[in-house]
Amino acid sequence: MNIRNRLSSLHIVLVVAIALQAQAQTLTINAAGAAASSQGAASPISTLGSAALPAMGGGAGLTEALSAPGLDNSAQPRLGQADGKALQDAMAPKGDAYATRSDGPNQFQRFVQEATGRMLPIYGREFFSAGATYGANSALPVPDDYRLGPGDEVLLRVAGPIDFASSLVIDRDGQVHLPKVGAVTLSGVLVRDLDRTLTTQLSKVFSNFKANATLGRLRGIQVYVVGQAQKPGTYQMSSLSTLVNALFASGGPGPNGSMRAIELKRAGKTITSIDLYDFISKGDKSQDLALMNGDVIVISPVGPRVAVTGAFDQSAIYELKPGENSIESILSLSGGLPALATSQKAVLERINRSANPPRSVQEIALDSIGLRQSLQDGDVLTLIDISPAFANAVTLQGTVAYPLRYSWFEGMRIRDLIPERDALITQDYYKRKNLLVQVDVAPQIRNQFQNQKQALNSGSKIDQQVRILFEQINWDYAVIQRMNPKTLTSELIPFNLGKAVIDKDPSHNLPLLAGDIVTVLSHDDLRVPQSRQSRLVRVEGEVAAPGIYQAQPGETLPQLLRRIGGLTPQAYLFGTEFQRESVRVRQQENIERLIRRIEAQGQSQISGSLASKSPELAQQAALAQEQQQRQLQDQIKRLRSLKSNGRIALEMASNATDLSALPPIALEDADAVIIPSFPGFVSAVGSLNNENVFIYKPGKTVADIIKSAGLMEEADVSNAFVLRADGSIVTKANQGGLFGSGFESLALMPGDTLVVPAQLDRETRYNAIVRGAKDWTQILSNFGIGAAALKSLGY
């Protein structure tokens, strides 16, 4: 009983072992994909192909196959989906890599980085970053010189008295079996000879037929990549693969692998050696042979290396080869000596291990002799950029038509460079001029040049166009910048441009030297005296001829108004509005400064208030401070809406009617004068029941307007003020009188505006902040804000 049990257990163990062995062989065959193993196991293709054919030997199966007319592939057994997937996977390059080489820099790369500060790549290494791109494509037609081998599938079709179609797979012996013909050896047959070979064999049995054979699935082969490969190992490749395909499948040479000495060994013999530099730089594949099963690819250690850097597009680490180690041969790999590298000098760093210290530097010329100089292992060659200097050029820049470099010649002078006035008319002038009539041009393009100078807020579009259409040339000053070759210092040589170009004065027609820079300035580049400035003044309103005028040197406001015909009978001289661009800019800066001060003061006082509260009142205080913060931000927002117009109060008598009453202000560029017509009203705004415009009557006082408008409960009469038509401010405090009573008796003038602000809650810190900016009278008077700004301030 024990013996029987033992025999049963042994039997079970043997069955399991046989099953595991069979499973292991099946997995090996599926992974290999095609070729028969060295142990004699049949490939999946051979096995399935044999099963697809009728049994040989003249039995009933063969008789039925030969007697069945119209037999085609549909009558043949098909590969299963799993088997087809295994075959498809087998055709892709793959293998068992032993270990992947490090992608980090090698020792020579680090050495070059320490010497030059640059991490140079290895020449050609970037091609292997996309190895699949260089894989063999099994879907392409098989070349005529392809040799058949075990595992290849042959699709045979015979037409004639009998039709026959079958899929034949070359077995491990290199044969296929044909009906009534027997075994036919196809291993080693070229594709171009396949039809002839099969026809010859079939003609021994059949006649009056036509045979056609094509290849189906191709066999897989196993190759070995060893040595200094990026991923050495065993690879399953398509039978169409070549040496280059296998190199790219394995990632190419590693950081210390050679690209110039790669050998293909077959049956222990070296059959070819390939230099990848020839393939990469020249596309030479003459040494790229087709692979066979069992081939070994050996990547040798890298040979002598040099580095090329500097003014070179293909700065990299290059491997030297005997007979191809000259500077010229290395540079030719990337197109030769670049045009932007000087041939007069290059720097060569060399290692001499027998010297102490072992490193030295030498300068060489890259002429015909220097290019033939041999490089040694460890050399670092640095190409030098050509000098940016021009040998025969002078430069013209500034307010000119064409700021360019011009060819210099011996005896060249200013008038040779600027022969006429047209050479000083910039291209922008014509562009601006053309934009004026392009009605369908986009607004942003139309404003491209109009925004170059910021005109007054009240300035018209025509004013802006006239003002920036042409840049005024500074005829009195231009300059030559010249480098002294002895001291290497820059010298400025000024000259009178007008005398040189217009008057043709020889004393200002200075000689030029190669390398000179001639600069022509405009009035915007350098401020010129008043007498030579172009002053455009805009005059509007009640004058005889409103328009834009060019003021004469030293001309005053009353003189200009007289020159253009004086005033109309409806002119209200007291309300004259005089605006100046320089004042506008300064006033706007003051407004921004005031806003920043209020913001800083507000944040400081609110923070201090919160810090002084006890913990019990902290939440209540925080809510109150949040409300005050919103009020402060609202007030600051109102201040930001204020825009100065650069108005200057002329301080004339209220009954002035003659131009002689105007102050003799010398006019500047961008000044604007607006003389309104005689207004028949006065205005009242603020904390009044009736904010309105009231008919002006001589002798009407502030008290009369307050009585007509009616004060609201929160009105703060003590801070009321009058904004005069001439831009001046009259407050209750500066008007005088007992307890300010003189302010109520102030006679109003046409165009005046009475402002009555609201009272503030004096108990809050917020209002202390606002009181600092509450004196709107100072803002309106000092910053040139007119009555139109009162609405934005909340009045």
Side-chain angles (χ1 to χ4, degrees):
M1 189 69 177
N2 292 334
I3 296 175
R4 183 178 299 176
N5 291 338
R6 290 178 181 177
L7 290 175
S8 298
S9 301
L10 179 61
H11 177 72
I12 294 173
V13 170
L14 290 175
V15 171
V16 172
I18 293 172
L20 291 175
Q21 182 178 3
Q23 183 180 8
Q25 291 179 351
T26 302
L27 293 174
T28 303
I29 292 172
N30 287 338
S37 68
S38 60
Q39 288 78 9
S43 70
I45 300 178
S46 300
T47 304
L48 293 171
S50 300
L53 291 175
M56 295 296 153
L62 176 60
T63 305
E64 292 173 2
L66 293 177
S67 61
L71 182 64
D72 57 16
N73 286 337
S74 63
Q76 305 304 320
R78 295 295 181 183
L79 296 176
Q81 182 177 3
D83 297 326
K85 180 65 169 61
L87 289 174
Q88 182 179 1
D89 294 341
M91 293 300 100
K94 60 185 178 180
D96 299 325
Y98 300 138
T100 300
R101 305 290 182 186
S102 172
D103 288 331
N106 56 36
Q107 186 177 5
F108 187 64
Q109 285 179 290
R110 291 193 292 269
F111 169 78
V112 174
Q113 183 181 27
E114 292 175 357
T116 65
R118 297 181 61 185
M119 175 59 69
L120 298 183
I122 298 175
Y123 176 75
R125 189 70 191 85
E126 69 275 7
F127 286 92
F128 295 98
S129 60
T133 306
Y134 295 89
N137 189 349
S138 299
L140 295 176
V142 180
D144 289 343
D145 59 353
Y146 176 78
R147 292 186 180 274
L148 277 69
D152 285 337
E153 181 186 28
V154 178
L155 304 177
L156 175 63
R157 293 178 176 82
V158 180
I162 56 174
D163 293 331
F164 173 73
S166 183
S167 171
L168 310 174
V169 178
I170 301 175
D171 60 21
R172 72 186 66 177
D173 297 325
Q175 297 178 338
V176 296
H177 293 271
L178 297 178
K180 290 190 177 182
V181 175
V184 177
T185 299
L186 293 182
S187 180
V189 175
L190 299 178
V191 168
R192 59 173 170 263
D193 299 328
L194 180 60
D195 283 350
R196 180 172 54 82
T197 301
L198 291 174
T199 300
T200 300
Q201 296 297 325
L202 289 170
S203 63
K204 295 178 181 180
V205 178
F206 304 104
S207 60
N208 298 325
F209 68 92
K210 184 177 181 180
N212 174 263
T214 59
L215 289 185
R217 295 186 180 91
L218 302 180
R219 69 183 185 274
I221 61 175
Q222 180 175 276
V223 297
Y224 304 91
V225 182
V226 297
Q228 295 293 325
Q230 181 71 17
K231 294 180 291 184
T234 304
Y235 287 86
Q236 303 293 336
M237 308 286 294
S238 166
S239 57
L240 295 178
S241 299
T242 66
L243 173 57
V244 169
N245 298 140
L247 288 174
F248 279 96
S250 64
N256 293 303
S258 173
M259 288 195 179
R260 313 205 69 173
I262 301 174
E263 296 180 343
L264 175 62
K265 293 181 178 293
R266 183 174 297 162
K269 297 181 180 180
T270 301
I271 63 172
T272 187
S273 179
I274 189 171
D275 183 351
L276 284 179
Y277 280 18
D278 293 337
F279 172 66
I280 294 172
S281 63
K282 305 174 185 176
D284 183 4
K285 289 190 63 179
S286 59
Q287 302 302 316
D288 182 28
L289 300 185
L291 297 174
M292 296 185 65
N293 190 52
D295 282 352
V296 179
I297 300 170
V298 181
I299 301 179
S300 304
V302 65
R305 292 169 293 190
V306 297
V308 182
T309 184
F312 193 53
D313 290 333
Q314 293 290 332
S315 296
I317 306 295
Y318 292 85
E319 182 180 357
L320 299 179
K321 185 178 182 180
E324 298 182 18
N325 58 353
S326 67
I327 295 177
E328 185 176 21
S329 63
I330 294 299
L331 296 182
S332 65
L333 295 172
S334 300
L337 182 65
L340 298 181
T342 178
S343 61
Q344 299 176 356
K345 184 176 69 172
V347 177
L348 180 63
E349 301 178 14
R350 176 157 291 177
I351 298 176
N352 184 359
R353 287 180 289 184
S354 61
N356 187 19
R359 298 172 66 179
S360 61
V361 178
Q362 64 183 38
E363 294 184 0
I364 58 175
L366 297 181
D367 51 13
S368 58
I369 299 176
L371 290 174
R372 290 196 297 268
Q373 180 172 334
S374 298
L375 295 174
Q376 299 178 8
D377 190 15
D379 282 353
V380 178
L381 178 65
T382 302
L383 304 186
I384 308 299
D385 291 308
I386 62 172
S387 172
F390 285 85
N392 61 335
V394 293
T395 302
L396 179 63
Q397 67 171 353
T399 310
V400 295
Y402 300 103
L404 295 170
R405 283 182 291 269
Y406 292 86
S407 176
W408 175 85
F409 55 87
E410 190 69 34
M412 186 177 188
R413 292 179 174 270
I414 292 296
R415 287 197 58 211
D416 297 319
L417 185 63
I418 310 174
E420 54 189 357
R421 295 178 179 87
D422 290 346
L424 302 176
I425 302 177
T426 65
Q427 297 297 305
D428 287 347
Y429 167 75
Y430 296 107
K431 293 178 182 178
R432 297 165 185 168
K433 184 177 179 181
N434 294 337
L435 283 175
L436 297 179
V437 296
Q438 295 180 18
V439 295
D440 58 343
V441 73
Q444 59 269 27
I445 300 178
R446 177 184 290 276
N447 295 330
Q448 179 179 359
F449 298 108
Q450 294 177 355
N451 293 335
Q452 291 185 359
K453 286 185 179 180
Q454 185 177 4
L456 295 175
N457 292 341
S458 58
S460 65
K461 181 178 176 181
I462 298 299
D463 187 7
Q464 298 177 26
Q465 293 172 351
V466 171
R467 187 171 303 282
I468 68 169
L469 194 59
F470 184 72
E471 291 182 278
Q472 297 292 321
I473 298 293
N474 187 343
W475 290 103
D476 301 314
Y477 178 85
V479 66
I480 301 172
Q481 183 179 351
R482 178 176 298 166
M483 187 181 70
N484 189 322
K486 296 181 179 180
T487 62
L488 297 182
T489 57
S490 180
E491 299 178 350
L492 296 181
I493 306 173
F495 63 95
N496 189 296
L497 181 64
K499 291 182 179 180
V501 177
I502 300 176
D503 300 338
K504 300 179 176 56
D505 187 345
S507 62
H508 290 272
N509 188 24
L510 303 180
L512 297 174
L513 299 179
D516 282 353
I517 302 174
V518 179
T519 303
V520 177
L521 304 176
S522 69
H523 288 186
D524 294 333
D525 298 322
L526 196 65
R527 181 175 295 181
V528 298
Q530 286 278 345
S531 60
R532 291 193 292 271
Q533 288 183 4
S534 176
R535 294 173 298 279
L536 298 181
V537 180
R538 178 166 46 86
V539 182
E540 297 181 80
E542 297 299 323
V543 294
I548 300 173
Y549 294 92
Q550 186 168 7
Q552 302 298 326
E555 191 171 22
T556 63
L557 175 59
Q559 291 173 343
L560 174 62
L561 294 178
R562 290 192 183 96
R563 179 160 63 89
I564 65 175
L567 307 176
T568 66
Q570 292 78 28
Y572 182 44
L573 198 59
F574 177 71
T576 299
E577 186 174 342
F578 182 77
Q579 301 171 352
R580 176 157 289 178
E581 174 66 9
S582 59
V583 174
R584 185 198 67 80
V585 173
R586 187 162 55 252
Q587 290 173 346
Q588 195 64 43
E589 291 174 352
N590 292 337
I591 293 176
E592 297 298 329
R593 191 178 298 110
L594 172 65
I595 293 173
R596 289 192 298 268
R597 186 171 68 248
I598 294 174
E599 287 178 330
Q601 183 182 1
Q603 293 295 336
S604 174
Q605 294 197 17
I606 289 176
S607 300
S609 177
L610 287 174
S612 62
K613 296 295 182 182
S614 61
E616 294 79 7
L617 301 177
Q619 184 176 2
Q620 181 179 359
L623 293 175
Q625 294 296 343
E626 182 179 355
Q627 181 181 4
Q628 294 174 11
Q629 180 71 7
R630 286 196 300 267
Q631 293 175 342
L632 178 61
Q633 292 300 325
D634 182 65
Q635 203 73 350
I636 291 174
K637 183 178 180 180
R638 293 181 181 181
L639 277 174
R640 289 191 186 279
S641 67
L642 298 179
K643 299 298 179 184
S644 172
N645 57 11
R647 183 175 182 179
I648 300 176
L650 299 181
E651 299 180 355
M652 292 184 294
S654 58
N655 58 352
T657 57
D658 188 74
L659 291 176
S660 59
L662 290 171
I665 300 176
L667 295 173
E668 295 182 2
D669 185 44
D671 283 351
V673 182
I674 304 174
I675 300 179
S677 59
F678 193 91
F681 59 85
V682 292
S683 303
V685 297
S687 297
L688 300 169
N689 294 321
N690 183 21
E691 286 186 303
N692 212 329
V693 176
F694 299 92
I695 301 297
Y696 169 75
K697 294 180 180 179
K700 182 171 286 190
T701 63
V702 170
D704 296 333
I705 297 299
I706 292 176
K707 181 178 179 181
S708 300
L711 295 174
M712 299 180 67
E713 183 178 353
E714 67 272 14
D716 186 3
V717 182
S718 61
N719 285 312
F721 60 90
V722 173
L723 177 60
R724 290 291 197 184
D726 66 344
S728 60
I729 299 292
V730 179
T731 66
K732 189 168 185 178
N734 60 23
Q735 180 60 21
L738 185 60
F739 303 108
S741 60
F743 179 74
E744 283 75 7
S745 61
L746 176 66
L748 297 176
M749 298 299 300
D752 286 353
T753 301
L754 172 64
V755 181
V756 181
Q759 287 184 349
L760 294 174
D761 183 1
R762 307 283 179 172
E763 296 179 357
T764 64
R765 288 185 176 270
Y766 160 72
N767 289 329
I769 299 169
V770 175
R771 282 199 302 274
K774 182 70 169 89
D775 194 357
W776 299 115
T777 60
Q778 180 183 4
I779 297 175
L780 295 175
S781 59
N782 293 347
F783 298 160
I785 306 299
L790 292 175
K791 184 176 181 180
S792 65
L793 294 176
Y795 295 114

